[in-house]
Amino acid sequence: MAMLKMMNLGTRSPGKTGSHFDPNSDLFVPNERKDIITSTTCWAAMAALLVCLGFVMGPVQLLKLYGIPYMIFVMWLDLVTYLHHHGHEDKLPWYRGQEWSYLRGGLTTLDRDYGWINNIHHDIGTHVVHHLFPQIPHYHLIEATEAAKPVLGKYYREPKKSSPLPFYLIGDLLRSLKKDHFVSDNGDIVYYQTDPELSGSSSK
C-alpha cells in the first residue's frame, strides 16, 4: 500500500506529466519550489531512517511498530477520502473540459459525520468547505460549514448523523462499491455507471 502511494506521487495519469517529488513539475507554481524541495528532502530522510531502523531492530520488529500501523492509517485515509466523493444516494457528477470549474468540483464532494472520530480527524468530515476554502484552518471548519449552508442551499448535502462510532458508513461504502464502477470516456458531465459483470446483474 505504501509503495502504491509512493508510485502515485511519482507519476500521473496516462497522458499527463509531473511528479509530486519534482520541484520543477507543472503541478506547482514557481513560488512553491522551495516547499517541494523541503518536502522531498524530508521524505527521503524518513525513508533512510526506516532503512537504518530495519538494520538496527530487524525488519519484523519494524513491521510491527511502524509498517502495520502505517498500513492501517493509509487504509483508513483511503476509506475516508473515497467516502467524501462516493456513496451518496444521489448520483454525483464528474465534470470535465469546459464544464469543470473549481466551484463545481468542490460542490460534488460530501460531508460525513464520524461520531467520536470527528475530533481525531480535526473535523475533516466538513469536507465541502475544506474543498472550497482550503485555507480555512481545521478549528474553524464547523462554524464555516454552518455559515456556508444557507448560501449553498440545495448544493449542500446534509450528512447522516452518526452514532458514537460511524458504522453507518459501511452501508454507504458497500452500496458505492456495488454501483460506482466507472465513468464514460465521452462527455464533459458524466456519472458513475455500473459494470454488470462486477455487480452480478445482467443489465446496467
Side-chain angles (χ1 to χ4, degrees):
M1 183 70 72
M3 185 60 69
L4 288 174
K5 284 291 182 186
M6 183 184 72
M7 291 170 60
N8 286 337
L9 289 173
T11 60
R12 295 187 68 187
S13 302
K16 295 183 178 181
T17 60
S19 166
H20 286 81
F21 297 110
D22 180 5
N24 298 312
S25 169
D26 60 5
L27 290 169
F28 313 112
V29 295
N31 64 3
E32 292 176 321
R33 189 172 186 276
K34 290 183 179 179
D35 295 332
I36 306 309
I37 292 174
T38 301
S39 174
T40 301
T41 301
C42 291
W43 185 93
M46 184 65 189
L49 175 62
L50 290 174
V51 171
C52 293
L53 288 175
F55 284 108
V56 172
M57 64 176 59
V60 174
Q61 189 70 357
L62 181 63
L63 178 66
K64 290 179 182 178
L65 296 178
Y66 182 84
I68 293 176
Y70 181 78
M71 285 188 286
I72 292 172
F73 164 75
V74 169
M75 286 188 289
W76 175 252
L77 183 63
D78 285 350
L79 173 65
V80 167
T81 303
Y82 182 88
L83 287 172
H84 279 147
H85 301 85
H86 302 79
H88 196 266
E89 290 85 351
D90 301 326
K91 286 191 174 183
L92 302 178
W94 274 44
Y95 298 106
R96 290 193 289 234
Q98 295 297 317
E99 294 292 342
W100 185 89
S101 69
Y102 185 87
L103 178 61
R104 273 187 151 183
L107 290 176
T108 56
T109 62
L110 301 167
D111 279 4
R112 296 288 188 181
D113 183 3
Y114 297 100
W116 285 344
I117 305 176
N118 282 329
N119 290 335
I120 300 174
H121 278 186
H122 300 300
D123 296 314
I124 198 57
T126 51
H127 202 67
V128 176
V129 163
H130 167 68
H131 261 278
L132 297 176
F133 308 102
Q135 69 273 24
I136 297 178
H138 68 86
Y139 45 84
H140 286 316
L141 285 175
I142 293 179
E143 61 182 295
T145 296
E146 291 302 317
K149 283 181 185 180
V151 179
L152 297 177
K154 66 179 182 179
Y155 297 103
Y156 179 79
R157 301 166 184 88
E158 192 74 37
K160 299 175 184 176
K161 295 300 180 185
S162 176
S163 58
L165 292 175
F167 292 118
Y168 80 96
L169 291 175
I170 297 173
D172 289 352
L173 175 64
L174 294 177
R175 181 175 61 251
S176 177
L177 292 177
K178 186 176 180 180
K179 295 182 178 181
D180 301 337
H181 297 152
F182 70 97
V183 295
S184 172
D185 291 332
N186 302 313
D188 287 344
I189 303 178
V190 294
Y191 296 83
Y192 274 106
Q193 300 179 42
T194 302
D195 185 334
E197 294 184 5
L198 293 176
S199 65
S201 63
S202 58
S203 61
K204 293 183 182 179

